[in-house]
Amino acid sequence: MEALFATVTGFLAASGLYLALRGRTFPVVVGLTLLSYAVNLFLFSTGGLTTNGAAVIEDGVDYYADPLPQALVLTAIVIGFAMTAFSVILAMRVRGDQGSDQVNDQRAEEPKEERS
Amino acid sequence: MSLPLIVLLPLLGSLIPLLSDNRHRTLNAWSTALLPAIALGIVLYHAPGVIDGQVDRFSMSWIPQLGLDLAFRLDGLSLLFLLLILGIGLLIILYARYYLSPNDSMPRFYAYMMLFMTSMIGIVMADNLLLLWIFWEMTSLSSFLLIGYWYQQSEARRGARMALAVTGMGGLAMLAGFLLIGHIVGTFDMQTVLDSREAIQADPRYLPALLLILLGAFTKSAQFPFHFWLPHAMAAPTPVSAFLHSATMVKAGVFLLARLHPALAGSQLWLYIVTLTGLVTMIYAAYFALLKYDLKGVLAFSTVSHLGLITMLFGLDSQMAVVAGLFHIINHATFKAALFMSAGIVDHETGTRDIRKLSGLRRQLPMTATLAALAAASMAGVPLLNGFLSKEMMLTETLDSSILGGLAWLIPVLATVGSLLSVAYSLRYVRNVFFGPKAEELPKSPHEPPFFMRFPMLVLVALCVIIGLLPALTVTGILEAAARATILPPRPELHLAIWHGFNLPLLMSVIALAGGIALYAVRRNLFAFQRQFPQRDALMTFEYNVRRLFAWTQLTIDRFENGSLQRYMLWLIIAVLFLTGSGLLDIDQLKGSRELQSLDGLLMIGAAITILAGLGTAVLHRRRLVSLMMLSVVGLMVSLAFARFSAPDLALTQLAVEVVTVILLMLALFFLPQRTPKESSGARIVRDMLLAAGFGGVVASLNYALLTRPLSSISGFFLDNSVSGGGGHNVVNVILVDFRGFDTLGEITVLCIAAIGIYKLLNRLRLFMPSSDSEGRPWSNDLHPMLLATVSQSVLPLALLVSVFIFLRGHNEPGGGFIAGLVTAVALILLYIARGVEWAQQRLSFQYQPIAVTGVVIAALTGLGSWAFGHNFLTSAFGHFHIPYIGDIELATAMLFDLGVYLTVVGATLMILANLGKLTTPHRPSKENDKETV
C-alpha cells in the first residue's frame, strides 16, 4: 500500500511539474494545482496511512489517525485554492493587458524556441 | 567625564555653521572655531597627566548585545593625534575663511569640515574596535562630501566617488578583520585586545584578520597599490586637501597601524607586508611626485610617499623605528599642511597650479615664498628643520633591520633613494614656482594674500623650525607618551638631537641631498625618459573598470533573470533535484523497517484512476477543457483518498474546494484561449519529460522512504490534551482553532489578502471574448436551465442549514469553520450559476469584501480577547452551558474564532467567484442578440 501511495504521489508530481514547465498560462495554473494535490497527499502521508482510525476522540478508543498533518493539510488546501485563484486571475489580467497568454516576458530575446 | 566632550563638541560644532549664512563670513569662521577650540582646551588640560603616563578612559554601554560600547580613551597616541587634528583643524578653519570665494557656500563647507573632524577625533579616541570602525566609516563618508564639495565639477564628483569606493571597501574589510579579532579575544574592548598579543598571534585566524585590517589601513593611507585615489582627491578645495592629507584622513591608516601595533605587530608576516608595502610606496610615489605638473599633484604624490615612509617604519622590527614613525607623523603634518596652504595661496593669487606656467613668484609673494621654501626644506630633510630629524632616525633604523636576510642592505639603499627623490621634488616645487624669471601670462596678477591667510602657514613653519632646533624641549614628552601606547616594554630611551656625530646615516643624508640636487639639475632627461611610456590616468582606469564590472554584473543577471518563467522553473527544479537527490543517495536503502500494509482491490483501482487522470491532465493539456475535467477527477480521487485514510475533515474540505476550483477555472477558461497552440520543440518536450520524471521519481522515493520508516509524532500531545485543554473532541479542529490558532489566523489573513488582490486585478480588466467555443459552436442560448434553477433554489436553504450544522458540531465532530464556509460558498455559487449574477445580486445585496475582512477581524479580536483575561494571545476558554429545550452544549471561545474563519472563507471565495462571474454578464449571448443577428 505504501508503494502504491508513493507511486500516485510521484505521478501527480511529475504530471504537475511537466505542465508547470509549459509556455502558456492556463496549463501552468493547472500544473500548479496538480502539484499542490501531490504536495498535500505527501504532507498528509507524513502522519502515516491509517485505515479505520478514529477521527474524533471517544472513550475506549485508542487507534487514531494522526491529526497534526490533517490540520496542516486542511489549511494548505484552502490556501492552495487562493493561490490557484490568484494565478489564474493574474493570467487573465496578463492576457487582457498584453494580449498574450505566454508566461515568458515577451521582451526577453531568449526563448525563441517557445515561439516556434 | 570630559572625554566624550572632546568628540561631542566638534559634532555639535557641525551644526553651528548651518545657523549662519554666506554673508557673515568672518563671524561664521570664528563661531565654527569656537567649539573645537574648547575641545582643544580640554585636551591640553589633560595633556600633562597623559604625558606623565596616565591613561584616561571613559566607557558607557551602547549596544551590549553587539559588544559595542561608547568608550573613549586618551593616551599618548590619542593625545599626539588630537593635537594635530584640532590644532591644524583650527588653522584650516581660519585659512578657509580667506580661501573660499563668495560663491562657495561657507556654512556647508564648515559643517562638512566639522563632521570630518569629529569622525577623526572619534577614531583616535575610540576605546572599542567597533566604535573605531564606525568613526572610520564616518571619515570615509564625510571626506566624500568634502572632496565632492564643488559638486558642479565632474572631476570633483568622480574623485569623491573613487575615494569613497576605495576607502569604504577598505573599511568593510577592516570590519571583518575586527570581527575576527573580537572572536579571538572575546571582546571588542581596546585595552583587552591590546593586552592579548600572544593569544591573537597564536590563533590561526590571525592571518586573515591581519590581512583584512591592513587592507583597511592601506586603502586609507593610500599605500601602493591603493594609492591611486589620493591624487584625484585633490579636486577638493585646497583647505580640505591640507587637512585631509596632512593631519587626518590618510593619517588614519597609519594611526591604525600604531594603535594596533602592540597586538598585531612583531610577527614575520607583519614585518614583511608592512615594511615592503611602505618601502615600495615611498619610492614609487616619490618618483611620480617629481614628474607631476600640478602643484597639488606634486604634493599628493609626496604625501603618498611620506605615508609609505611612516608605514615602513611601523613595519620594521625595531622599537626606535616606531618612535621615528610617530615623530614623522608630527613633522609631516606640519610641513605638508603648510605646503598645501602655499599651493592654495599660489592658486588663489595666480589662478593656476600648473608648474610650467608658474615662475618667479617670490617677487610678488615674498612672505609666502619664504614660508613655502622653509616647509619644503623640511620635507627634503634639510638640517635644522624637523623633517631632518625624523629622516635621520629613519635612515638609522633601516640600517638595523633584520628583514630580507642577506639582502638587508637593500632597505637602507632604497630608503636613501626615496630621500633623494624627496629632495628633488621639494627643490622643484620651490625653485620652479618662486624663483626664476617673472612668469608671463598668468590668469591673475598675484598679490600677497591677507595676513590671516598666511598666518596658519606661519604657525606651522614656526613649528617646523622650533621642533627642528629644539627637539628635546618640544616633542620628547609627547613622543614618549605616544610610544608608551604603541610599543611594548622595554622601551628605548629617546635622545632627540640635531647632531649625532659623523656616522653612516649622516652620510646617507648628504648623499640624498647632493643626489637630489643633481637629479633636479638633470630632470629634463628624466621627463624625456618618462614620455616614452604611455600616460595612464588612474581615474579613467578606475571608471573603466567600474563600468566593466557593472556591465559584467548586468550580463550575469540577465543570463539568469531573462524574463523566462520556464527558465526560472528549470533552475529551481534542477536545484531541488540536486539537493534532494543527493540526500537520497546518502541513505542506505529506500525501504525502512516499518511493516508494510496490505493492498486491496479498491485501492488499486483508485490509484489507477488517479494516475491515469493525472497523466491525462498533462498529456491532453492542449485541449484545455478536457485537461480541466481530468484535473477534477484527480481532485475527487484525492478527496476519496483522504476519506479512505481516516481523514473526514480533509475529505470534506477537498471536495468543497474541488468544486469551487473547477468552477473558477472554467470561468477563467472562458476568457482564455480554449486550446494551447503546439509550440514546444521536440527536444524541449523530451527535456521537460525527463525533468518531470526525475522529479516524480524523487518525490515518490522520498514518500516511500518516509512511509516505511518508524513514525515519531508529536500528535500524542494533541490527542491527550484536546478534550481537557481545548474542550473539543475533533482534534483536527481543535488544532486549527486552538493549538495552532495563530497559524490559522495567518492563513485566513492570506486568504483575505489574495481575494482582495484578485478583486483589484479584476478591476477594469479588458477581456477577449470568444463568440463561440473552440469547436466553432456558438454558446448555448439556454442561459439558466429550468431544472438547475429550481434545484439550486430549493437546495440553498438546505445547504445553508447543513453548513450551520457542520459549523456548530465542528469542535466535536468532523466539520468546522473552513468546511462550513466552503459549503455555504458552494451553495451560493450554485445559485449564481443557475440564476445569473444580476438575479442573485438583486437578492443578495451585500458586499463580500467586508465579510472577509470582518472574519479576519473577529478571529484576531478573539485572540486579543484572551489578553483581557490575562492569558496569552489566542488562549481559548470553554465551558458547558445548559440551554433550555436544546440541552447541554459546550461553548468555547474557539467557536468565535471559528466564526471568523467561516466568514473569511465565505467572503473570500465569493469575492473571487462572484466578481469574476460578473465579468461575463455584459458579454453573454442572449436570445435578443441572437434574434438581431438572425
Side-chain angles (χ1 to χ4, degrees), chain A residues 1-35 37-38 40-59 63-116, chain B residues 562-567 569-570 573 594-599 603-604 607 610-611 614-615 617-618 621 624 627-628 631 634-635 638 642 644-650 653-654 657-658 660-661 664-665 668-669 671-673 676-677 679-681 684-685 688-689 691-692 695-696 699-700 702-704 706-708 711 713-715 718-719 722-723 729-732 735-736 747 750-751 754 757-758 760-768 812-814 818 909 912 916 919:
Chain A
M1 193 156 78
E2 281 80 1
L4 191 66
F5 190 92
T7 313
V8 171
T9 318
F11 267 101
L12 292 187
S15 306
L17 181 70
Y18 178 78
L19 284 176
L21 285 168
R22 297 302 89 207
R24 300 279 173 162
T25 50
F26 194 77
V28 170
V29 174
V30 171
L32 290 179
T33 311
L34 204 52
L35 206 55
Y37 291 155
N40 286 344
L41 281 178
F42 188 105
L43 278 183
F44 170 68
S45 72
T46 55
L49 300 175
T50 316
T51 307
N52 294 329
V56 174
I57 303 231
E58 285 169 57
D59 289 335
Y63 185 59
Y64 295 103
D66 192 339
L68 187 62
Q70 292 191 22
L72 296 180
V73 171
L74 200 152
T75 47
I77 291 171
V78 180
I79 292 289
F81 163 69
M83 186 203 71
T84 305
F86 193 85
S87 50
V88 81
I89 304 289
L90 194 64
M92 282 173 57
R93 181 89 210 186
V94 168
R95 177 138 196 264
D97 291 354
Q98 310 267 333
S100 157
D101 68 335
Q102 293 188 343
V103 295
N104 291 340
D105 187 350
Q106 296 303 295
R107 287 158 297 175
E109 73 263 74
E110 195 269 338
K112 288 187 187 103
E113 211 183 309
E114 268 78 20
R115 284 187 213 155
S116 71
Chain B
N562 62 351
S564 164
L565 184 71
Q566 288 170 300
R567 174 69 67 92
M569 294 279 288
L570 181 71
I573 297 305
R594 212 159 127 195
E595 212 171 303
L596 292 183
Q597 300 179 44
S598 63
L599 272 175
L603 272 176
M604 285 165 79
T610 317
I611 291 176
L615 287 176
T617 315
H621 77 270
R624 293 181 171 179
S627 178
L628 186 55
L631 181 74
V634 178
V638 170
F642 288 143
R644 168 67 179 74
F645 295 114
S646 320
D649 288 286
L650 286 190
T653 314
Q654 174 69 40
V657 164
E658 189 53 36
V660 182
T661 307
L664 171 83
L665 288 179
L669 191 52
F671 298 103
L672 290 169
T676 307
E679 53 186 2
S680 296
S681 65
R684 173 63 65 104
I685 289 176
D688 290 350
M689 278 167 76
L691 274 176
F695 182 69
V699 169
L702 271 181
N703 201 359
Y704 184 70
L706 195 75
L707 280 171
T708 51
L711 180 74
S713 170
I714 56 169
S715 298
F718 298 121
L719 290 168
S722 178
V723 177
H729 289 83
N730 181 0
V731 189
V732 176
I735 291 176
L736 283 176
E747 260 143 348
V750 171
L751 186 65
I758 288 168
K760 288 308 286 180
L761 277 177
L762 289 173
N763 196 17
R764 296 190 190 198
L765 177 57
R766 287 177 294 139
L767 287 165
F768 290 79
N812 290 314
E813 299 282 327
F818 274 113
T909 313
I912 296 168
L916 181 56
L919 290 177

Side-chain angles (χ1 to χ4, degrees), chain B residues 134-374:
Chain B
I134 289 175
F135 284 116
W136 184 279
E137 292 295 30
M138 267 176 68
T139 59
S140 292
L141 289 173
S142 48
S143 67
F144 169 79
L145 295 172
L146 281 171
I147 297 169
Y149 174 73
W150 283 322
Y151 53 78
Q152 60 274 28
Q153 299 173 1
S154 130
E155 192 70 4
R157 291 196 304 269
R158 294 190 299 167
R161 255 199 322 258
M162 184 156 83
L164 181 66
V166 176
T167 57
M169 180 203 76
L172 289 180
M174 194 181 90
L175 174 64
F178 281 176
L179 291 179
L180 283 175
I181 295 284
H183 279 284
I184 297 172
V185 181
T187 171
F188 293 105
D189 176 62
M190 188 68 78
Q191 195 57 50
T192 319
V193 170
L194 296 184
D195 291 340
S196 315
R197 179 164 181 260
E198 280 80 18
I200 291 173
Q201 301 203 2
D203 197 282
R205 286 168 289 186
Y206 170 66
L207 171 67
L210 179 67
L211 291 179
L212 288 166
I213 291 174
L214 287 183
L215 193 61
F218 288 171
T219 47
K220 201 75 154 185
S221 278
Q223 294 298 291
F224 183 85
F226 308 109
H227 61 283
F228 53 86
W229 68 266
L230 195 145
H232 290 280
M234 292 299 147
T238 303
V240 173
S241 309
F243 195 41
L244 261 60
H245 306 313
S246 65
T248 56
M249 181 79 169
V250 294
K251 289 284 168 65
V254 287
F255 167 80
L256 190 74
L257 296 182
R259 173 58 90 207
L260 295 178
H261 199 274
L264 298 180
S267 65
Q268 285 290 308
L269 204 61
W270 170 284
L271 178 66
Y272 274 87
I273 297 179
V274 179
T275 308
L276 293 183
T277 307
L279 194 62
V280 169
T281 310
M282 176 169 99
I283 302 209
Y284 174 91
Y287 177 72
F288 281 96
L290 192 53
L291 299 175
K292 288 287 149 186
Y293 292 117
D294 178 9
L295 280 186
K296 281 175 78 177
V298 174
L299 294 179
F301 274 99
S302 83
T303 301
V304 176
S305 172
H306 280 266
L307 286 166
L309 189 155
I310 297 167
T311 304
M312 179 190 77
L313 285 171
F314 283 149
L316 288 173
D317 54 347
S318 105
Q319 302 198 315
M320 211 52 201
V322 178
V323 179
L326 291 170
F327 191 22
H328 200 66
I329 287 175
I330 304 177
N331 299 338
H332 176 251
T334 49
F335 65 67
K336 192 51 66 65
L339 282 172
F340 269 115
M341 287 176 184
S342 76
I345 290 175
V346 168
D347 187 14
H348 196 254
E349 294 301 320
T350 65
T352 180
R353 296 197 313 247
D354 193 325
I355 241 172
R356 288 166 296 191
K357 294 186 188 153
L358 295 165
S359 178
L361 284 179
R362 76 190 147 88
R363 294 178 189 85
Q364 293 100 327
L365 309 170
M367 178 83 176
T368 310
T370 316
L371 293 174
L374 279 170

Side-chain angles (χ1 to χ4, degrees), chain B residues 862-878 893:
Chain B
T862 313
L864 288 174
S866 48
W867 276 354
F869 298 98
H871 296 291
N872 284 332
F873 187 63
L874 278 172
T875 309
S876 78
F878 60 92
T893 55

Side-chain angles (χ1 to χ4, degrees), chain B residues 539-841:
Chain B
L539 192 58
M540 301 271 278
T541 318
F542 177 77
E543 296 207 327
Y544 171 72
N545 283 325
V546 167
R547 271 201 302 277
R548 275 226 328 223
L549 180 69
F550 281 11
W552 179 80
T553 317
Q554 192 60 50
L555 207 70
T556 316
I557 290 175
D558 287 346
R559 191 164 297 164
F560 287 98
E561 200 181 318
N562 62 351
S564 164
L565 184 71
Q566 288 170 300
R567 174 69 67 92
Y568 306 158
M569 294 279 288
L570 181 71
W571 284 113
L572 199 67
I573 297 305
I574 288 175
V576 166
L577 283 181
F578 177 74
L579 291 173
T580 41
S582 62
L584 276 175
L585 287 178
D586 284 345
I587 59 176
D588 295 333
Q589 59 173 20
L590 195 57
K591 189 184 169 310
S593 57
R594 212 159 127 195
E595 212 171 303
L596 292 183
Q597 300 179 44
S598 63
L599 272 175
D600 59 50
L602 211 56
L603 272 176
M604 285 165 79
I605 294 171
I609 295 175
T610 317
I611 291 176
L612 283 177
L615 287 176
T617 315
V619 172
L620 300 172
H621 77 270
R622 300 212 347 269
R623 298 172 64 189
R624 293 181 171 179
L625 192 61
V626 181
S627 178
L628 186 55
M629 293 296 113
M630 293 286 188
L631 181 74
S632 68
V633 173
V634 178
L636 285 178
M637 292 312 292
V638 170
S639 168
L640 287 177
F642 288 143
R644 168 67 179 74
F645 295 114
S646 320
D649 288 286
L650 286 190
L652 280 170
T653 314
Q654 174 69 40
L655 195 64
V657 164
E658 189 53 36
V659 173
V660 182
T661 307
V662 171
I663 292 172
L664 171 83
L665 288 179
M666 284 183 75
L667 269 175
L669 191 52
F670 184 61
F671 298 103
L672 290 169
Q674 308 297 306
R675 282 170 174 274
T676 307
K678 192 170 185 167
E679 53 186 2
S680 296
S681 65
R684 173 63 65 104
I685 289 176
V686 169
R687 188 196 80 181
D688 290 350
M689 278 167 76
L690 284 176
L691 274 176
F695 182 69
V698 165
V699 169
S701 312
L702 271 181
N703 201 359
Y704 184 70
L706 195 75
L707 280 171
T708 51
R709 275 169 170 69
L711 180 74
S712 73
S713 170
I714 56 169
S715 298
F717 171 81
F718 298 121
L719 290 168
D720 294 341
N721 290 289
S722 178
V723 177
S724 57
H729 289 83
N730 181 0
V731 189
V732 176
N733 185 262
V734 174
I735 291 176
L736 283 176
V737 298
D738 193 334
F739 290 128
R740 314 279 307 179
F742 198 55
D743 293 1
T744 311
L745 182 61
E747 260 143 348
I748 58 173
T749 312
V750 171
L751 186 65
C752 188
I753 290 171
I756 291 171
I758 288 168
Y759 178 68
K760 288 308 286 180
L761 277 177
L762 289 173
N763 196 17
R764 296 190 190 198
L765 177 57
R766 287 177 294 139
L767 287 165
F768 290 79
M769 280 300 305
S771 59
S772 62
D773 73 355
S774 52
E775 309 288 326
R777 290 176 298 231
W779 300 110
S780 165
N781 286 334
D782 193 2
L783 290 179
H784 306 302
M786 183 62 153
L787 194 63
L788 182 62
T790 316
V791 169
S792 69
Q793 224 170 325
S794 48
V795 157
L796 182 68
L798 202 62
L800 291 180
L801 197 66
V802 168
S803 70
V804 171
F805 173 68
I806 290 179
F807 175 78
L808 284 178
R809 72 173 205 159
H811 218 46
N812 290 314
E813 299 282 327
F818 274 113
I819 300 165
L822 286 165
V823 170
T824 309
V826 170
L828 289 173
I829 288 164
L830 192 63
L831 196 67
Y832 274 90
I833 293 175
R835 284 294 190 167
V837 174
E838 292 120 335
W839 188 92
Q841 249 174 355

Side-chain angles (χ1 to χ4, degrees), chain B residues 469-548:
Chain B
L469 289 174
L470 304 165
L473 286 179
T474 46
V475 290
T476 307
I478 188 162
L479 264 186
E480 273 175 347
R484 266 198 302 276
T486 315
I487 50 183
L488 299 168
R491 300 184 183 91
E493 265 196 45
L494 190 57
H495 294 292
L496 292 178
I498 305 171
W499 182 248
H500 289 282
F502 290 101
N503 53 14
L504 201 49
L506 186 68
L507 179 65
M508 287 156 77
S509 268
V510 171
I511 292 174
L513 278 172
I517 294 168
L519 184 63
Y520 173 73
V522 298
R523 65 187 183 283
R524 285 180 210 295
N525 299 337
L526 192 67
F527 289 160
F529 170 73
Q530 187 60 28
R531 264 195 289 278
Q532 59 185 319
F533 297 106
Q535 282 230 332
R536 280 190 307 145
D537 184 358
L539 192 58
M540 301 271 278
T541 318
F542 177 77
E543 296 207 327
Y544 171 72
N545 283 325
V546 167
R547 271 201 302 277
R548 275 226 328 223

